Amino acid sequence: MEIARAFLVPEPTMAQRIARARRRIREDGARFAMLPLRLRPAGGRLGGGRTVRWGRMPGMGEVFTHRLRVRYSECDQQGVVFNGHYLFYYDVALTEMWRELVGDYGAMVHEGYDLVVAEARIRFREGARFDELLEVSMPVAHLGTTSMVVRPVFRAGGRLIADGEVRHVFIDPASKGKREMPERVRSVLAPFLDGTGEASGAAPA
């Protein structure tokens, strides 16, 4: 068993570890699939232990999607996810997208760039319920001079749960003043622009 030899453990031990991992994946309800080579991030990491995938939406570029499972504590008295949690889900998805595409967020802050929310709105279509697997798709709608806009789409079991728009602004962590988007970030996010997005720095900031 080549995997066992690579990790310098007996074959029965490695077989037990693989069996446990498969069992945990089944119990979690997560699906696992290898990404096409052209879409795999450097190092092939999957953020936060969750299933992360890349796909396309009609009229859009590549779309990053993060999956998470609804916990009991996130549901309200009506039996659905409390509305305030959707921005928390969005923040988790953005963090994982940043980790996979851009890299370590703390390193960016150390380099003199931070990202703040300037505006956010969510349209609620239907309630997600306890233990449902929620998919948060993150199409990038706009890359301005100092700002970026993401239009998250939340789905569970193929149903549209919510969608919205979040505008972020790049700032200097020390002065809190606006800063131009780092060129490295722009080049990484440009392929994820949707069909209506603007990649030009001449677009509204």
Side-chain angles (χ1 to χ4, degrees):
M1 192 175 184
E2 292 184 5
I3 296 177
R5 287 197 295 271
F7 284 89
L8 301 178
V9 297
E11 289 187 15
T13 301
M14 181 56 68
Q16 291 171 0
R17 291 180 182 177
I18 292 174
R20 283 198 300 269
R22 286 175 175 167
R23 185 169 62 250
R24 288 175 181 172
I25 289 172
R26 285 197 301 270
E27 290 172 354
D28 189 55
R31 291 176 291 175
F32 178 80
M34 292 299 291
L35 296 171
L37 284 173
R38 68 184 184 86
L39 297 182
R40 290 182 199 170
R45 295 179 296 106
L46 292 180
R50 307 288 185 173
T51 303
V52 180
R53 65 186 179 88
W54 285 256
R56 287 185 181 273
M57 289 183 173
M60 296 184 179
E62 303 295 345
V63 177
F64 178 93
T65 298
H66 183 66
R67 293 185 178 131
L68 45 82
R69 193 168 293 280
V70 174
R71 295 173 292 189
Y72 183 79
S73 61
E74 295 163 347
C75 298
D76 60 20
Q77 202 168 13
Q78 298 170 339
V80 296
V81 172
F82 177 64
N83 60 76
H85 286 302
Y86 286 93
L87 282 176
F88 169 75
Y89 294 154
Y90 168 83
D91 190 63
V92 172
L94 180 70
T95 299
E96 295 303 332
M97 182 174 81
W98 213 263
R99 190 194 320 278
E100 296 299 327
L101 302 180
V102 180
D104 181 60
Y105 189 90
M108 184 183 76
V109 174
H110 183 72
E111 293 168 2
Y113 297 90
D114 203 352
L115 194 64
V116 297
V117 173
E119 187 177 0
R121 59 188 178 91
I122 302 289
R123 290 180 292 267
F124 301 101
R125 313 291 187 143
E126 184 181 335
R129 297 182 178 276
F130 166 62
D131 207 38
E132 286 196 301
L133 196 59
L134 194 65
E135 292 192 347
V136 187
S137 298
M138 303 284 285
V140 179
H142 170 72
L143 296 176
T145 303
T146 63
S147 69
M148 57 176 278
V149 175
V150 180
R151 292 183 180 144
V153 179
F154 304 82
R155 295 184 183 276
R159 307 179 340 262
L160 176 61
I161 301 298
D163 57 11
E165 183 172 287
V166 183
R167 183 168 64 90
H168 299 268
V169 174
F170 288 86
I171 65 167
D172 183 302
S175 69
K176 308 303 180 186
K178 287 184 180 182
R179 287 204 66 174
E180 275 196 34
M181 181 186 305
E183 192 55 41
R184 180 174 67 89
V185 173
R186 183 185 302 279
S187 64
V188 167
L189 295 181
F192 290 79
L193 277 168
D194 71 17
T196 63
E198 293 286 348
S200 170

